[in-house]
Amino acid sequence: MNNIIGLFVILIVSLHCFSQNNMVRIDGQFLNYDGTSKAWYSLSPTQGAILDKEIQPDSLGRITIIESINETQYFYINYRSEGINHDCCLILQPGNDYTFISEGYNEDEWDTKYSPYIYSRKRLSNEVFSISKLDQGQIFYNEIADKTSGALYHDDWDLMHPEGLLDTLQFRIESELEDLNKLYEVNNVDEEQYEIIKLNIEYVNAYRLAQTINDSWQLENKFGIEDSSINNELYKIYSELFDLYPVEGVRIEDFFGFGKYVDLYLLYKEDSQNGEFIPVERKGPSAIGVFLENAKEILSPKAYQAYRFNNTLNFTANLGINASLMASTYLEENPEVRKEYAGKLLEEQLLPRAVEFENLKYQSLSDQMIILDERNPINSFEQLVDSLHGRPFLIDLWATWCMPCRSQFQFNGKLKPFLKRQGIEMVYIAKEYDLSKEQLEYWKNYIKGYNLDGYHLIMNDKLEASLEGLVGEIYGIPRYILVNEDGVVVEPDAYKPSDTDLLKEQIRNSL
């Protein structure tokens, strides 16, 4: 702690007074800085902004950022190196200055509460500051700023006993609010900070429960519950949860992960008809239309602008259907974003990439890209084996909506020559939820765009059941399955192409 205080004193020496009361200054230091990496940060009137600004720390890992703000803003900075992550979230108020010192945490320990040391001081007049103090309110705020997905918290919620879920939720919220109230009583948070932190405590916990319940039908293979009476109770609790913690009528843009929570809420509203909620399984692009079509009606203009932009950016980056139209429409309606980093990223890099990808529909598949189910569906593993005529093959289970699946394609270049020498075919089996003609064209675009030489088909329910009879339940993708020349599965869960050497060795030993 003494070292931290010493570093704090060094940083404070560099502070200067400002004549403008709307200026804020942020001084920070990343301990054990690697000497080269840049840090990325965002400053926004809403939570969840993309990290669109970069800054180069000095040799000791120190940074200084000076900004002019007229109202409360949200600041988030991230630096990572060699498995160590540094984060700092600040509620910035005009006329305040902030200092943080980050020791960092191991990226594998994502569920550990973490905050850097944070100090703040308020400018009482043009030239007079209050005394700098360790800002317990900002530290507490950082410790609840968890942006991970609800699926990671399944052990925290007993879905098999739904009658106790809302009581558990309220207990957790009240326990954290008790700690916040103690800080408020001794003036370690002001009124505005209190309301922002209180909302985050409530909605972080509500989001985790909502996402966990949602996973029981969106990730049914892994988290599905067979008991229909329990499912019906979960549907009721899901509805009650959104009644208790709605999107409408609150400053939802002050919540860390408001975009994710809004996604769940909009899908819930879409699937609620005549007072009854019946969930529909959705993946990827099929949900985007629901989000953007209905979000404007329930979000404040400020929240909707941030929500729409983030959706547009992500959808374009993910090469969704008609992404170029979505991106160009947004840029035409919001020309001011062209001056910002994120706007330039959308206009100069992501939009041209989306146009190029969409134009692949005018190209034919190469002779090395063979659609196995073009004329007749393949309904069983045996049919698949027969279609390969006694050749060994490596199955790649993937989907157009699955980013981890697509990220593996970059390693195919190292793998292809090896597979060819071994006489092993690649079989790409896609798990798609949208089988419209337009989506099928996009599926072929992915095959062309990523140069996926090999055999291709879309997995139907019969083939999935047949595969699972051999390799067990298919919880997640990407997944790789190695089959020998006799049609026998020899590796039901092979290494990924990113583990190239391990996969090669596994193939040598298995075949």
Side-chain angles (χ1 to χ4, degrees), residues 152-164:
L152 298 171
Y153 297 98
H154 272 261
D155 291 342
D156 293 346
W157 305 98
D158 186 1
L159 297 191
M160 297 304 293
H161 296 88
E163 67 279 358

Side-chain angles (χ1 to χ4, degrees), residues 185 349 391:
E185 289 168 4
Q349 296 184 42
R391 285 167 290 179

Side-chain angles (χ1 to χ4, degrees), residues 213-394:
I213 295 174
N214 181 273
D215 288 340
S216 69
W217 58 80
Q218 291 292 355
L219 300 174
E220 188 174 359
N221 282 349
K222 187 172 185 180
F223 299 114
I225 296 173
E226 295 182 3
D227 190 319
S228 60
S229 63
I230 291 179
N231 281 319
N232 289 333
E233 285 300 311
L234 289 175
Y235 298 162
K236 292 177 184 177
I237 289 169
Y238 200 63
S239 299
E240 290 180 48
L241 183 61
F242 287 122
D243 287 339
L244 289 168
Y245 300 99
V247 169
E248 298 166 280
V250 297
R251 285 176 47 176
I252 194 69
E253 62 268 25
D254 291 336
F255 165 45
F256 288 118
F258 88 92
K260 295 178 181 179
Y261 192 77
V262 170
D263 289 348
L264 294 181
Y265 183 79
L266 290 173
L267 291 176
Y268 158 71
K269 298 292 281 186
E270 179 75 7
D271 296 339
S272 298
Q273 304 295 333
N274 301 319
E276 184 178 9
F277 170 65
I278 301 177
V280 176
E281 186 179 31
R282 292 184 181 86
K283 291 286 185 183
S286 63
I288 296 293
V290 175
F291 298 161
L292 295 183
E293 181 180 345
N294 300 324
K296 194 171 186 178
E297 299 176 8
I298 65 169
L299 298 179
S300 69
K302 181 192 294 185
Y304 176 71
Q305 180 71 359
Y307 182 75
R308 183 186 175 193
F309 179 70
N310 285 341
N311 268 285
T312 300
L313 200 68
N314 291 332
F315 193 64
T316 308
N318 287 332
L319 300 173
I321 294 177
N322 296 323
S324 65
L325 176 61
M326 184 177 180
S328 58
T329 300
Y330 183 87
L331 289 167
E332 288 172 8
E333 295 178 359
N334 301 274
E336 68 280 0
V337 304
R338 299 171 190 263
K339 302 176 184 178
E340 302 170 2
Y341 171 86
K344 291 179 180 178
L345 173 66
L346 179 62
E347 182 175 32
E348 298 173 8
Q349 296 184 42
L350 299 182
L351 177 55
R353 177 169 168 260
V355 171
E356 182 181 4
F357 178 79
E358 290 167 11
N359 286 337
L360 288 173
K361 66 183 179 182
Y362 301 114
Q363 298 181 17
S364 299
L365 291 168
S366 77
D367 294 338
Q368 285 73 45
M369 301 170 184
I370 301 164
I371 308 298
L372 284 175
D373 56 349
E374 189 85 71
R375 295 181 175 84
N376 297 302
I378 290 182
N379 294 322
S380 70
F381 178 73
E382 290 73 20
Q383 279 184 266
L384 178 60
V385 169
D386 289 343
S387 67
L388 270 294
H389 306 293
R391 285 167 290 179
F393 55 97
L394 179 65

